[in-house]
Amino acid sequence: MRKPIIAGNWKMNKTKSEAVSFVQEVKNSIPSASKVEAIVCSPDLFLDALVQEAQGTDLKIAAQNMHFEDNGAFTGETSPAALKDLGVEYVVIGHSERRDMFGETDESVNKKVKAALSHGLTPIICVGETLEEREANKTNDVVTTQVKGALEGLSESDVQKTVVAYEPVWAIGTGKTASSEDANETCGVIREVLSNTFSADTADAVQIQYGGSVKPANIEDLLGQQDIDGALVGGASLEADSFLKLVEAGNE
Ligand SMILES: O=C[C@H](O)COP(=O)(O)O
């Protein structure tokens, strides 16, 4: 049985004091033995404070990116070793904003996924098509290539430790959500790729999230779909109230 994940990706928002207040507000409202895993993906600057603040609660803290090397001359970057040492448990890898604006490729995503796993971090691997690709009926090809590229060379048991987030680029921050059925269909395609490339057991084990304008008003429909195991949420995760509503929806 896959446990759904509600992950709030704050992107480049909040100051440290705002971030800490948010965690103080939500951490004791995550039901223990919750049916969903609740995660906040924070800018690196606040990770240490947030991990401390969330200790002993059911709220997990994630990074939004990392380098694939353990150390070296990579100015401005953060290593997986440093994240692990802070007590971070998850890391978002290959978000479309990083692919689009910071030169992430399937190859760098693959290196980062391997590095995360080797440090015991759970990678949340983002895939998804642009509007142009969708209109050219290339959605399935694009996500297939991205999923295969991200997981290239991994063992079945390592793949089972990953999370995939399907985020159609045209639905991110636009207010346009894929219909639950369309989102489910593409998550199903991803599961089929996992099954064909690795095994049916692997496909069954991997949590596949949907992301793109998820909000309290549409979360229930999305979570009700067979192949959608949670959500990666940007805008609607910035306010504690709204984040808690998303987590509550997963507990109903
Ligand atoms: O990582 C989160 C996604 O990019 C979705 O962002 P959004 O919920 O603001 O559309």
Side-chain angles (χ1 to χ4, degrees):
M1 180 70 185
R2 299 181 298 266
K3 187 174 184 175
I5 297 175
I6 300 293
N9 177 14
W10 288 346
K11 308 190 179 184
M12 197 179 73
N13 290 294
K14 295 194 185 293
T15 61
K16 180 180 171 188
S17 57
E18 289 166 351
V20 169
S21 301
F22 178 105
V23 169
Q24 286 170 342
E25 211 175 324
V26 307
K27 65 180 181 183
N28 295 317
S29 302
I30 312 289
S32 58
S34 171
K35 289 190 216 151
V36 293
E37 185 91 312
I39 305 176
V40 161
C41 313
S42 156
D44 286 359
L45 263 182
F46 324 138
L47 287 171
D48 193 12
L50 300 191
V51 168
Q52 300 303 322
E53 196 59 54
Q55 224 156 37
T57 75
D58 287 302
L59 180 68
K60 310 280 188 216
I61 305 300
Q64 298 175 8
N65 176 41
M66 57 168 225
H67 201 277
F68 48 80
E69 295 287 356
D70 275 1
N71 48 53
F74 302 104
T75 302
E77 292 287 320
T78 301
S79 76
L83 293 179
K84 185 67 186 174
D85 181 62
L86 287 183
V88 168
E89 294 182 55
Y90 291 82
V91 56
V92 177
I93 293 185
H95 191 282
S96 62
E97 286 151 15
R98 296 216 54 89
R99 291 179 192 255
D100 182 41
M101 293 183 270
F102 301 97
E104 293 269 359
T105 61
D106 288 338
E107 196 187 350
S108 65
V109 167
N110 180 243
K111 286 183 181 170
K112 290 181 180 196
V113 169
K114 287 177 176 162
L117 289 166
S118 77
H119 285 276
L121 296 161
T122 301
I124 299 176
I125 304 160
C126 299
V127 300
E129 82 286 3
T130 61
L131 185 57
E132 205 183 352
E133 289 163 341
R134 186 172 193 87
E135 286 173 346
N137 285 324
K138 289 187 181 155
T139 300
N140 294 355
D141 290 347
V142 169
V143 298
T144 299
T145 303
Q146 289 177 335
V147 169
K148 282 187 170 177
L151 303 176
E152 167 109 42
L154 263 70
S155 66
E156 261 188 57
S157 66
D158 270 348
V159 175
Q160 292 181 19
K161 293 177 198 147
T162 68
V163 175
V164 176
Y166 167 55
E167 298 205 309
V169 178
W170 50 270
I172 296 176
T174 58
K176 292 182 195 155
T177 324
S179 71
S180 305
E181 293 74 22
D182 283 353
N184 186 57
E185 193 180 318
T186 308
C187 290
V189 168
I190 292 169
R191 211 174 292 287
E192 208 175 304
V193 172
L194 294 172
S195 181
N196 294 340
T197 316
F198 297 94
S199 67
D201 283 352
T202 301
D204 200 40
V206 173
Q207 290 136 309
I208 304 177
Q209 299 175 287
Y210 167 77
S213 298
V214 175
K215 42 191 178 291
N218 59 22
I219 186 74
E220 279 178 36
D221 259 12
L222 289 162
L223 292 181
Q225 302 294 321
Q226 187 183 337
D227 281 310
I228 301 180
D229 310 313
L232 183 58
V233 189
S237 73
L238 289 170
E239 300 298 330
D241 263 14
S242 163
F243 179 73
L244 283 174
K245 278 188 191 145
L246 297 168
V247 173
E248 275 161 26
N251 272 297
E252 278 165 8

